[in-house]
Amino acid sequence: MTVEILSRELHNFIDEGRIWDDIARAENPAPGLVRDVLEKGLEKKGLSPHEAAVLLKNTDADLDEEIFETARTIKKGIYGNRLVLFAPLYVTNECGNQCAYCGFNAKNEDLERRTLTMDELRKEVEALEDIGHKRLLLVYGEHPKLGAEWMADTVRTVYDVTSEKSGEIRRVNINCAPLDVEGFRTLGEVGIGTYQCFQESYHQKTYAHVHHAGRKTNFLWRLHALHRAQEAGIDDVAQGVLFGLFDTTYEVLGLLYHALQLEKDFGVGPHTISFPRIEPALGSELAFNPPHPTTDHQFKKIVAVLRIAVPYTGLILTTRETAELRKELLEVGVSQLSAGSRTYPGAYQDPNYDRPDVQQFCVGDSRSLDEVIHSIVTEHGYVPSWCTACYRLGRTGEHFMELAKQGFIQKFCLPNGLLTFKEYLEDYASERTRDAGMALLNQEVDSFPDPKFKGSLVRRLDRIQHGERDLYY
Ligand code: SAM
Ligand code: SF4
C-alpha cells in the first residue's frame, strides 16, 4: 500500500458533483426516510454522506428532535458522561499566508508578531501545568523560517517542562500548516499525539476565494495533508471545517467524504473532527461578516449528524459557545472541550490578556479552567478527563478504532477519566470545585457497573489520595 500511496498523484477525492447530487436527492426528505436513517444510525455503524444529507435537509421540527434524541442515545452509549479537556497554546503568530478570515493573516500590519523563544514557551507551559492542564494543542502560523525541526524542538520543550508541584504535559497535539512526509516524520519522532489540519472549505472555488496568497492557496496540498501525516506514521489525524465560509450541508458532506477516503487508504478515519464557526478577528473584514453564517440550530444539527454519521470519532468544541448551547452540544455529541483558552503567543502569562488586537480571533468565554470545570460538573454532571492512556500505551489509529467498536471507551475511558479527575481535585481545584467534584466522583464510583473493576478503581483512587500520580489502565 505504501508504494501505491507514495506514487499517488494529488487527485481531488472531493467530487463536488457527487456532493451536490447527494444533497439534491436529500431535499424535502419524507419522514419515513428520515426515520429509516435514524434507525440505521442506532446500529452505530455510521452513515453514508447521502444519509447524513437526509438528516441535515429535514426541516420538520419534531423530526429534528428525533435526530437530537438519536444522537444523544449514541453519545451516551459510546462516551457516557466523560468529557476530555485541553488547552490551545499559540507558539507563533508569524504567518506568510493571507487567509481572509484570520487575524494572523500576513496583510494584517497592525498585529504585533511574535514567536515564543524556548524559554518563553517553557513559561507558558508552566502556567498551564500550574492550573492542571495535561493535554495541549500547540498552534502555529505558517512562516517559511519556522520549519518542522523547529516545531519538533517546541514539542520536546513542552514535554520537558515537568515539576513535582504541578505535574507534566502528557499529550501534545499539533495544529500547524501541512508539511511534507519528511516533516511529519520529524514531528512523529518527538511523540506528538494528534495532527490536526482543517480544510476550512471543501468547496474549491470558495477555498480559492478566501486564500489570497501564500502556501495555503494550494487546495490539494492541504487536502492531502492528513494522508501525508499517516504515511509518516502519525496515525491519529484530525479533520475540521471552518463554518461560515460556504454551504453547511456541503461542508459536512466534504468532511465525511474526506473521512471515507482516509478509511479507504489507511483503514482508519479521523481521530477527531472540529467545527469552528468563524469568530470576529481584528484585521479581517470577512470574520465580522461571514458569507454563510451558521445559526445555533444548524450548528447543533451539524454536531448531532456528525455524532450519528461517525460515531467513534471524537468531536471537539471550543468554549466560545454560550453555556446553554454548550450543554446541548455536549449531549448530542461533543466529546472534547477546550477550556480557559487564550489565542495568542505569550497569552497565559500576560496579566492583561484580554487583548483583541493580538488574538487570532475573539474568545467569547474567558472563564478559567476551574470555573469551566465547576460548571461542567454542577450544571451538566459531566466527568472532566485528562486521560492520555491510549496514546501512551500505543492504542492509536486503527488499533484504537477497533477497541472503541468493542465498547472499550465505556469500559476503560471512564475509569481512566475518573483517575485524572481525582488528580485534578487533589492538586488544582478550588474548594467549591473540589466539593462538587468529589460528590460527582463518589456517585460515579458507587454506580460503577463492574464489581471487580470497581474494586481495582477504588484502590487506585486511594493510591492517588496518598500521593501517587499518573495511574491508568
Ligand atoms: N496556520 C495553521 C493553519 O492555518 O492550518 C494552523 C493554525 S490556524 C490559527 C488554526 C485554525 O484557526 C484554522 O485552520 C482556522 O480554521 C481557524 N481560524 C482562523 N481564523 C478564525 C476565525 N476568525 N474564527 C474561528 N476560527 C478561525
Ligand atoms: Fe496563517 Fe493559519 Fe491564520 Fe491562515 S489560518 S492566516 S495560515 S495562522
Side-chain angles (χ1 to χ4, degrees):
M1 188 197 269
T2 312
V3 175
E4 190 191 313
I5 290 168
L6 287 174
S7 63
R8 185 194 55 230
E9 286 188 13
L10 290 184
H11 75 286
N12 189 356
F13 49 77
I14 298 298
D15 181 341
E16 286 185 20
R18 188 164 175 195
I19 293 182
W20 288 125
D21 180 57
D22 283 337
I23 295 174
R25 286 186 295 117
E27 291 291 353
N28 301 316
L33 178 60
V34 174
R35 292 204 173 98
D36 285 349
V37 171
L38 292 179
E39 209 162 298
K40 181 178 171 200
L42 285 171
E43 291 169 21
K44 297 184 199 150
K45 291 185 182 142
L47 299 180
S48 72
H50 169 64
E51 288 162 342
V54 166
L55 301 185
L56 289 165
K57 281 291 166 188
N58 170 64
T59 52
D60 179 289
D62 291 339
L63 278 175
D64 268 358
E65 279 312 312
E66 289 182 36
I67 293 173
F68 296 141
E69 198 44 46
T70 303
R72 276 187 206 107
T73 306
I74 292 172
K75 163 80 201 288
K76 202 152 185 259
I78 297 177
Y79 300 88
N81 62 343
R82 192 189 44 100
L83 186 64
V84 172
L85 292 179
F86 71 97
L89 196 174
Y90 282 69
V91 187
T92 177
N93 63 11
E94 295 194 72
C95 194
N97 293 322
Q98 290 177 24
C99 308
Y101 43 81
C102 179
F104 292 173
N105 79 79
K107 274 284 211 16
N108 184 1
E109 285 170 6
D110 297 331
L111 182 76
E112 229 174 81
R113 301 285 165 175
R114 182 170 177 193
T115 296
L116 297 180
T117 63
M118 293 300 162
D119 231 32
E120 288 168 334
L121 178 59
R122 241 173 250 121
K123 294 211 171 76
E124 287 284 271
V125 177
E126 279 166 9
L128 287 159
E129 285 180 354
D130 279 351
I131 55 174
H133 279 292
K134 303 283 183 231
R135 304 169 62 106
L136 296 186
L137 172 70
L138 301 191
V139 184
Y140 307 79
E142 179 172 23
H143 200 282
K145 72 177 182 190
L146 306 167
E149 290 291 345
W150 170 77
M151 270 188 261
D153 269 351
T154 63
V155 175
R156 264 190 228 105
T157 301
V158 172
Y159 278 130
D160 274 354
V161 182
T162 58
S163 82
E164 220 165 276
K165 174 178 154 272
S166 60
E168 67 283 309
I169 298 304
R170 297 173 185 163
R171 178 172 176 138
V172 175
N173 298 332
I174 295 282
N175 186 324
C176 69
L179 302 170
D180 57 16
V181 175
E182 207 41 56
F184 280 127
R185 208 163 275 135
T186 304
L187 281 189
E189 280 163 8
V190 291
I192 69 162
T194 307
Y195 170 64
Q196 195 178 74
C197 179
F198 304 161
Q199 188 59 30
E200 322 297 12
S201 175
Y202 285 96
H203 186 248
Q204 206 162 352
K205 212 165 139 197
T206 300
Y207 187 93
H209 189 63
V210 297
H211 296 107
H212 301 159
R215 290 185 193 165
K216 198 163 163 181
T217 51
N218 191 332
F219 176 87
L220 288 180
W221 178 250
R222 194 165 183 90
L223 188 62
H224 284 251
L226 302 184
H227 275 71
R228 291 194 300 279
Q230 280 278 9
E231 283 169 40
I234 299 172
D235 58 2
D236 279 349
V237 295
Q239 294 176 223
V241 144
L242 185 56
F243 283 99
L245 295 175
F246 192 58
D247 180 82
T248 50
T249 308
Y250 180 96
E251 298 292 19
V252 173
L253 267 60
L255 277 171
L256 295 177
Y257 274 114
H258 191 175
L260 284 173
Q261 192 68 38
L262 286 166
E263 220 168 286
K264 178 167 169 251
D265 293 339
F266 299 100
V268 62
H271 189 65
T272 56
I273 292 180
S274 299
F275 27 84
R277 286 198 274 193
I278 293 183
E279 295 290 326
L282 285 186
S284 157
E285 267 175 46
L286 185 151
F288 284 93
N289 198 10
H292 292 262
T294 318
T295 64
D296 284 356
H297 183 76
Q298 274 175 326
F299 196 53
K300 184 174 165 187
K301 248 180 105 170
I302 291 169
V303 175
V305 171
L306 284 173
R307 182 69 300 142
I308 303 169
V310 282
Y312 296 99
T313 297
L315 297 183
I316 301 186
L317 183 73
T318 65
T319 45
R320 279 173 243 150
E321 309 301 336
T322 61
E324 192 42 49
L325 181 63
R326 195 165 51 233
K327 186 169 193 285
E328 293 176 32
L329 297 173
L330 293 178
E331 279 172 8
V332 299
V334 166
S335 55
Q336 296 197 21
L337 188 73
S338 63
S341 307
R342 300 185 182 181
T343 62
Y344 59 92
Y348 292 105
Q349 303 157 82
D350 186 349
N352 311 311
Y353 76 87
D354 200 9
R355 293 179 51 195
D357 58 322
V358 284
Q359 289 179 155
Q360 189 210 0
F361 48 79
C362 300
V363 178
D365 181 347
S366 52
R367 291 176 310 162
S368 69
L369 175 64
D370 191 75
E371 286 169 320
V372 172
I373 290 170
H374 187 263
S375 123
I376 288 169
V377 169
T378 55
E379 291 164 38
H380 308 166
Y382 275 86
V383 173
S385 169
W386 290 263
C387 179
T388 52
C390 283
Y391 150 73
R392 291 158 81 202
L393 292 172
R395 297 188 297 237
T396 57
E398 198 174 355
H399 184 40
F400 173 80
M401 281 297 165
E402 278 313 311
L403 289 170
K405 287 173 189 168
Q406 294 160 25
F408 172 89
I409 296 181
Q410 274 288 34
K411 191 158 181 215
F412 289 94
C413 298
L414 178 63
N416 278 333
L418 290 171
L419 292 171
T420 60
F421 187 32
K422 173 78 172 163
E423 282 189 358
Y424 178 83
L425 296 174
E426 289 293 323
D427 296 341
Y428 312 101
S430 64
E431 206 175 317
R432 69 173 192 151
T433 301
R434 188 173 305 129
D435 291 347
M438 279 312 294
L440 177 63
L441 197 143
N442 290 335
Q443 194 181 309
E444 291 292 326
V445 174
D446 284 348
S447 60
F448 202 77
D450 178 342
K452 226 164 123 191
F453 206 141
K454 181 171 167 176
S456 159
L457 175 61
V458 170
R459 282 191 295 280
R460 287 195 185 198
L461 286 167
D462 197 49
R463 281 165 61 192
I464 290 175
Q465 174 101 33
H466 288 89
E468 276 189 68
R469 293 290 174 266
D470 205 13
L471 305 178
Y472 50 86
Y473 294 99

